[in-house]
Amino acid sequence: MIRVRDLVRTFGTHRALDGLDLTVAEGTVHAVLGPNGAGKTTAVRILTTLLRPTAGLAEVAGHDVGRAPDEVRRRIGLVGQHAALDEGLSGRQNLELFGRLHHLGGPGAARRAAGLLAEFSLEDTGDRPVRTYSGGMRRRLDLAASLITHPKVLFLDEPTTGLDPRGRAEVWQAVRRLTGAGTTVLLTTQYLEEADQLAHRISVIDRGRCIADGTADSLKTRAGADRIDIVVRDPAQLDRAAAVVGGTVTDADRRLVSRAAPDRLAALTATVTALTAADVEAQDVALRRPTLDEVFLTLTGNGAGPAAPADRPGPTDSDSASDTETETPA
Amino acid sequence: MTPYARVWTDSLTMTRRGLAHWARQPGQVATALLFPVMLLVMFAYLIGGGISVPGGGDYQDFLVPGMLALTMAFGLESTMVALTQDIDRGILDRFRSMPIAPSSFLIGRSLLDMLSSAAGLLVMLGAGLAIGWRWHGGPAQALAAVGLLLLLRFAMLWAGIWLGLVAGRPEMVQTVQMLVWPVGFLSSAFTSPATMPGWLGAIAEWNPMSATAGAVRELFGNPAWQGTSWPAGHPVLLAVLWPLLLLALAVPAALRRYRVLGR
């Protein structure tokens, strides 16, 4: 459904895309994952005909974005980084406006707007100005606006950036419903967890190139062994705990010690035994797969990481994993 | 749908979008309409007393045509603000990713701004009448005066579209907002350029706004500023030529700029 080969886009001397390759199969959700400035938005802008490529091939739904932009536009929906909505108008008016621009006609646009408001649980607030909407509601309306003509391919550029956990959950749920309906979705994100939650496949990009591609599981496998996390009750015992289990202190504030666990359960048993023998009291001992953060670090080999901790949507790793579990309906 | 019908339908939809805005925000519309009225009242009653009308006559009769021209010229700002907001909020990106007639965004904007300017002009004419301004020419001349004012607005509109597309960000608008004031006052809108230092007066005489103000004074039969220079003698001709020249530059520049967005 999307085919990108050796795509290059330069801005002056800066190569925002430097030979990007990407293939997205029909009906799948594909996440493009990478840090700020990796070229995610540039790629989306080219695929949605907003930006011309400098070189390379980019096809969406069988049409070249440069040669047949109108054909592409007929088949796509775009949800950009900022909710592209008319703040002064109501949700319904916004949807009707976009419906008219898609030549549904007045009554047709009104019908479609009503249907989408219902589908995105915005019926009650549909006639209030968008200015009064919460972040999550705006995004849902934005999503609804991009679906007016049932696009074959939907582009979501960092759909949950800037949302609180509740808004994020709302958007995730909406995206999951779409994929149930067979829409091909390409989403960009800085949040590994988001890619993990939503996408069938993930392309990790860095400095305008794809550096890894696969399912979340395969990427995690590439990053190496499973890990064991130990939360030590007494901070004074952190170093001792790390020494006896053969791991490192990964987060002193959270009193966290981690070690590799190539043989999984055997390692877990050995860890608990070692801690007991050394008289270190552990609050929690958990076996887990590597996080995509660790995957990213392994793949890029630099410490940049996918997102600076300051602009994370919520607590990292274990905390956010547990709060998403409750949100996952499937 | 033929391409032309598509351009027309899409442009009207864009205009309709603006009209829906007005209906939703009557306060904003009222502010926009009343701000020039406030300026007019300020000049008529607070400052006007100290200004002598060149060649004698009522200052109100001199002032109102100048204020009308100023209001039209300042329309540049509102066009720019509206455009940069659409760009900044990603609304233009969404329109550009949709299969709509590419020019409809700009045509819709210009239709809408002309509608609002016509409304603003009506309000200002009413306010002028209320403070004692009268026209002394015939209805045909009065219509011609209104036509020249709207022509100036149309030219400023396209200049605003071009500047908005070039600037792209609302912050840039502030610079333009600051600059329109000296440009607006460096004209014959409020006083005769003859009272200004020589070289400034010369610039003021050639200011396109002065041409429209002068032409409107002539057509309304209001007192004009006395001058022996060529622009002082040919205000109507200049009030036609200046906006046409501006349009000849701004329209192609704006369309070109719009086409190459994303290059």
Side-chain angles (χ1 to χ4, degrees):
Chain A
M1 199 42 65
I2 300 176
R3 211 156 68 91
V4 172
R5 291 290 171 272
D6 208 20
L7 194 63
V8 176
R9 169 72 206 204
T10 56
F11 296 98
T13 56
H14 173 62
R15 291 173 84 83
L17 292 181
D18 191 11
L20 181 73
D21 290 318
L22 189 68
T23 306
V24 178
E26 185 168 358
T28 62
V29 181
H30 196 104
V32 172
L33 178 71
N36 263 329
K40 303 187 295 294
T41 297
T42 306
V44 167
R45 289 180 66 82
I46 289 175
L47 290 171
T48 53
T49 75
L50 296 178
L51 197 66
R52 285 175 165 268
T54 307
L57 171 91
E59 276 178 9
V60 175
H63 296 276
D64 186 278
V65 293
R67 275 198 296 274
D70 251 13
E71 295 301 318
V72 172
R73 287 175 191 145
R74 264 186 255 284
R75 290 164 176 84
I76 61 168
L78 166 66
V79 179
Q81 280 193 21
H82 311 283
L85 299 163
D86 234 315
E87 297 274 312
L89 303 184
S90 71
R92 189 184 305 277
Q93 282 177 313
N94 267 287
L95 293 179
E96 286 180 3
L97 164 75
F98 292 121
R100 280 175 181 276
L101 287 175
H102 280 297
H103 303 131
L104 299 183
R111 262 198 312 277
R112 185 77 182 119
L116 283 166
L117 287 174
E119 196 181 320
F120 285 85
S121 323
L122 291 165
E123 283 161 305
D124 298 342
T125 47
D127 291 309
R128 290 212 322 246
V130 170
R131 161 168 349 100
T132 64
Y133 283 25
S134 70
M137 284 162 66
R138 263 167 223 245
R139 274 294 139 129
R140 265 149 56 207
L141 183 64
D142 210 8
L143 208 53
S146 65
L147 293 173
I148 283 171
T149 51
H150 308 283
K152 282 193 149 79
V153 187
L154 183 64
F155 293 89
L156 308 172
D157 195 7
E158 304 201 1
T160 62
T161 296
L163 293 185
D164 58 17
R166 187 178 155 191
R168 227 174 355 138
E170 288 173 5
V171 170
W172 284 4
Q173 213 174 6
V175 173
R176 286 200 188 96
R177 238 194 1 254
L178 283 180
T179 54
T183 313
T184 306
V185 179
L186 183 136
L187 73 96
T188 72
T189 181
Q190 302 185 42
Y191 308 129
L192 305 152
E193 182 204 340
E194 186 161 282
D196 199 6
Q197 286 283 328
L198 294 176
H200 300 108
R201 279 186 86 82
I202 300 173
S203 291
V204 184
I205 72 170
D206 188 39
R207 287 169 212 173
R209 288 167 173 276
C210 180
I211 54 169
D213 182 85
T215 61
D217 272 344
S218 75
L219 290 177
K220 285 175 183 175
T221 307
R222 281 178 61 177
D226 288 5
R227 318 273 308 168
I228 292 172
D229 282 344
I230 303 130
V231 180
V232 181
R233 190 174 293 283
D234 181 0
Q237 291 188 313
L238 267 176
D239 289 331
R240 190 170 149 75
V244 297
V245 302
T248 51
V249 179
T250 42
D251 188 339
D253 290 338
R254 290 164 60 203
R255 308 190 304 281
L256 196 66
V257 171
S258 301
R259 59 159 288 190
D263 46 1
R264 295 176 54 85
L265 288 177
L268 191 60
T269 315
T271 301
V272 174
T273 311
L275 289 171
T276 314
D279 215 12
V280 174
E281 196 184 346
Q283 218 167 4
D284 191 25
V285 179
L287 178 68
R288 61 168 177 83
R289 312 228 51 197
T291 64
L292 277 164
D293 284 281
E294 287 156 342
V295 176
F296 197 87
L297 286 179
T298 315
L299 291 172
T300 59
N302 65 36
D311 56 33
R312 281 284 160 86
T316 47
D317 309 335
S318 56
D319 288 355
S320 47
S322 59
D323 89 47
T324 51
E325 271 158 26
T326 55
E327 290 157 5
T328 313
Chain B
M1 208 183 280
T2 67
Y4 287 112
R6 207 177 94 171
V7 170
W8 185 236
T9 315
D10 291 348
S11 302
L12 285 185
T13 304
M14 294 287 181
T15 308
R16 181 193 291 266
R17 161 177 176 244
L19 293 175
H21 261 274
W22 292 359
R24 281 261 167 195
Q25 289 145 315
Q28 239 178 47
V29 175
T31 312
L33 288 178
L34 291 179
F35 179 69
V37 173
M38 187 194 75
L39 277 184
L40 176 68
V41 171
M42 252 171 57
F43 272 93
Y45 295 116
L46 304 183
I47 302 170
I51 303 178
S52 61
V53 177
D58 188 27
Y59 184 59
Q60 258 70 317
D61 269 4
F62 179 81
L63 173 69
V64 168
M67 278 302 304
L68 295 175
L70 185 83
T71 311
M72 293 299 109
F74 277 20
L76 174 103
E77 243 182 80
S78 58
T79 300
M80 231 184 124
V81 169
L83 204 73
T84 49
Q85 277 178 353
D86 280 348
I87 295 173
D88 194 54
R89 292 183 185 153
I91 293 175
L92 180 57
D93 275 354
R94 167 159 274 161
F95 287 150
R96 287 180 58 229
S97 73
M98 290 168 65
I100 59 174
S103 49
S104 59
F105 176 71
L106 301 184
I107 296 175
R109 163 63 40 207
S110 57
L111 276 175
L112 184 73
D113 283 0
M114 285 313 285
L115 277 178
S116 72
S117 299
L121 197 54
L122 273 180
V123 170
M124 282 294 284
L125 286 170
L129 288 171
I131 66 164
W133 162 80
R134 294 291 178 267
W135 77 76
H136 310 287
Q141 278 136 314
L143 275 180
V146 169
L148 285 181
L149 286 165
L150 290 176
L151 179 65
L152 177 67
R153 176 64 181 101
F154 193 61
M156 292 314 251
L157 192 158
W158 279 93
I161 289 179
W162 177 66
L163 284 172
L165 288 173
V166 170
R169 283 169 302 144
E171 304 92 79
M172 292 288 286
V173 178
Q174 282 180 1
T175 318
V176 173
Q177 272 171 340
M178 272 190 302
L179 286 176
V180 295
W181 286 93
V183 172
F185 279 77
L186 190 54
S187 73
S188 71
F190 301 104
T191 186
S192 164
T195 63
M196 301 174 192
W199 61 278
L200 273 180
I203 298 175
E205 281 186 11
W206 283 96
N207 187 334
M209 238 187 72
S210 301
T212 301
V216 170
R217 283 182 186 124
E218 191 174 307
L219 291 165
F220 278 147
N222 293 138
W225 48 282
Q226 307 297 308
T228 51
S229 62
W230 194 82
H234 303 82
V236 176
L237 178 65
L238 273 178
V240 174
L241 289 183
W242 265 130
L244 289 183
L245 176 68
L246 198 54
L247 282 169
L249 295 173
V251 174
L255 292 179
R256 203 193 119 70
R257 184 79 202 176
Y258 187 81
R259 252 197 323 271
V260 302
L261 286 173
R263 285 279 163 83

